[in-house]
Amino acid sequence: GIVAADGSDHTDCTKTMSAVSLYETSGRLEPGESYRYLFLVRAASEDAALRGIACGDELGKAVFAWRKAMGETGRIASASVRCPPAQPPGLVSEDGTTSVVAASSKFVVHRSGLSVDAAAAAANRMARDQAPSQQQGGASLDKILPVTVEPIDPPSHLELGKPVEIKLLVVNHSSEPMRLQLQMRLAQMSGVVVCGLSFKNLGEVSPSGGSSVVDVRVVALVTGLFYVQGCSVVDLTTGREVAQPPLFNVFVERRDGNRLEQ
């Protein structure tokens, strides 16, 4: 259900590359030299696309084969590559303590449905609360992230220095209405930063899945691969701040005439 594409071909990073094509693009490696590969991983089946790619999912193995000058061949394979968590350490939970989502949690990362996972966590927690005999196992995702922010159809590429407007879906997973303010914090952003107003008041957002859509403008300052991050939501009634995981990753390129360059 998952395929990988070589990201070094910036003209079409979604193109699936064969091993031979990848080797031909690498050229000759002298002793001590190295070559870095960048892969774009995406869901290939309809079921996988609907679910998204989650923390802990096995993405496959990287297999490399080579031939030396005298014809000797070799082959090496990596350990299984697994999807890392999007949850950054140190988020503050509802009781004010620092909490971290366990590595085994299966919530989806990077523009794949974090709000759906938080809603599912809320439903599971309510079911556990109705069964007092069941042992509780750590902080629930909806308690750590009572409000989630995720992008709607974010770009995979940005042009250097060209502002782009991004739509963000803000969802309230708590059981109480919240007066929310979205903040994009420049100090926590790198490579791609907010452009223009860095905060927006959302008004009162209804509980148990109430949502609001807000537009923010970002601009890329440096070429390369970056996270769009630094987003926090503040409950203006209680003053609680809910820091968000990175919203999405994006590849920044420079336009040189009619051609894009990394």
Side-chain angles (χ1 to χ4, degrees):
I2 295 174
V3 298
D6 173 29
S8 62
D9 182 3
H10 55 263
T11 58
D12 184 6
C13 71
T14 62
K15 181 176 62 177
T16 302
M17 302 285 288
S18 68
V20 173
S21 298
L22 288 174
Y23 176 79
E24 288 176 346
T25 60
S26 68
R28 178 184 174 87
L29 291 180
E30 298 295 336
E33 291 185 341
S34 63
Y35 192 86
R36 177 178 296 178
Y37 289 98
L38 175 66
F39 292 92
L40 171 67
V41 179
R42 58 183 175 85
S45 67
E46 183 177 352
D47 290 342
L50 288 174
R51 176 185 177 275
I53 301 173
C55 169
D57 284 353
E58 184 174 344
L59 305 180
K61 295 182 179 181
V63 180
F64 297 91
W66 64 87
R67 181 183 297 273
K68 296 183 178 180
M70 300 302 294
E72 305 97 325
T73 61
R75 175 186 172 94
I76 188 172
S78 72
S80 295
V81 179
R82 296 187 177 275
C83 182
Q87 180 70 50
L91 290 192
V92 179
S93 63
E94 190 175 29
D95 59 4
T97 61
T98 299
S99 302
V100 181
V101 174
S104 60
S105 65
K106 283 284 189 176
F107 70 90
V108 179
V109 303
H110 303 322
R111 65 177 182 271
S112 297
L114 180 60
S115 62
V116 175
D117 280 5
N124 292 336
R125 179 178 54 80
M126 291 179 64
R128 290 196 304 267
D129 291 344
Q130 294 175 1
S133 61
Q134 186 171 349
Q135 184 177 2
Q136 300 294 319
S140 176
L141 178 60
D142 68 300
K143 286 294 187 179
I144 296 175
L145 293 174
V147 181
T148 57
V149 180
E150 58 183 326
I152 301 174
D153 295 328
S156 59
H157 288 66
L158 287 179
E159 183 181 337
L160 182 67
K162 182 178 180 180
V164 174
E165 197 166 81
I166 309 294
K167 289 186 180 295
L168 301 177
L169 174 66
V170 183
V171 182
N172 177 10
H173 301 282
S174 73
S175 58
E176 301 292 335
M178 290 184 174
R179 288 196 309 115
L180 299 177
Q181 182 183 81
L182 179 80
Q183 299 181 358
M184 301 295 293
R185 298 180 175 178
L186 185 61
Q188 300 173 8
M189 309 181 85
S190 176
V192 179
V193 301
V194 64
C195 176
L197 195 64
S198 61
F199 69 93
K200 291 193 176 182
N201 293 321
L202 307 181
E204 185 174 285
V205 180
S206 302
S208 303
S211 63
S212 178
V213 176
V214 61
D215 295 330
V216 298
R217 187 179 293 268
V218 298
V219 63
L221 302 180
V222 186
T223 59
L225 183 64
F226 297 98
Y227 290 123
V228 177
Q229 57 188 5
C231 178
S232 291
V233 181
V234 179
D235 183 348
L236 297 179
T237 301
T238 65
R240 181 186 177 188
E241 299 181 0
V242 183
Q244 297 294 311
L247 299 177
F248 60 98
N249 46 9
V250 67
F251 196 71
V252 179
E253 300 165 309
R254 176 188 295 110
R255 181 173 293 277
D256 181 17
N258 295 323
R259 188 166 59 93
L260 287 174
E261 293 185 347
Q262 179 180 345

